[in-house]
Amino acid sequence: MKIKSNYKLRTIAGETIIVKQGASSTDLTYIIYLNDTAKLLYEELYGKEFTLEDAASILIDNYDISHELAIKDATQWAEELKNCEVLE
């Protein structure tokens, strides 16, 4: 999977969000807020093909959590981005 290149991170009023670039009109139906962990994964994986294992490895390296928890969290992160059509 891969994060679509037309989505960019922005910080507004202290909140990190994903914004779709190049849209002819602004559609604020979906505002995608990222917590620090989701932001870390986004920044580390943006522009790269990746698997859930890749995302889990980042979580393990940064948070010293079990592989099972890392896979669970990576899966939830990816599913949320898929639902918002951010992932290819």
Side-chain angles (χ1 to χ4, degrees):
M1 69 193 107
K2 187 175 183 178
I3 298 168
K4 292 179 181 178
S5 62
N6 61 332
Y7 285 88
K8 305 293 181 193
L9 282 181
R10 297 288 183 254
T11 302
I12 299 176
E15 297 288 337
T16 302
I17 63 171
I18 300 173
V19 177
K20 185 175 183 179
Q21 300 292 300
S24 59
S25 64
T26 304
D27 179 5
L28 297 178
T29 305
Y30 297 105
I31 298 176
I32 306 165
Y33 292 94
L34 300 180
N35 64 20
D36 289 339
T37 304
K39 179 183 174 187
L40 171 69
L41 290 172
Y42 191 98
E43 290 175 331
E44 292 287 325
L45 298 170
Y46 185 81
K48 304 173 187 173
E49 288 284 337
F50 65 90
T51 65
L52 291 176
E53 284 293 332
D54 297 327
S57 292
I58 293 167
L59 295 175
I60 291 166
D61 291 346
N62 284 276
Y63 297 105
D64 192 33
I65 59 175
S66 70
H67 182 264
E68 294 78 21
L69 181 57
I71 287 290
K72 179 183 171 209
D73 290 350
T75 301
Q76 182 179 359
W77 174 79
E79 288 300 318
E80 291 294 329
L81 292 185
K82 282 180 191 174
N83 289 340
C84 296
E85 300 179 0
V86 175
L87 294 182
E88 295 179 344

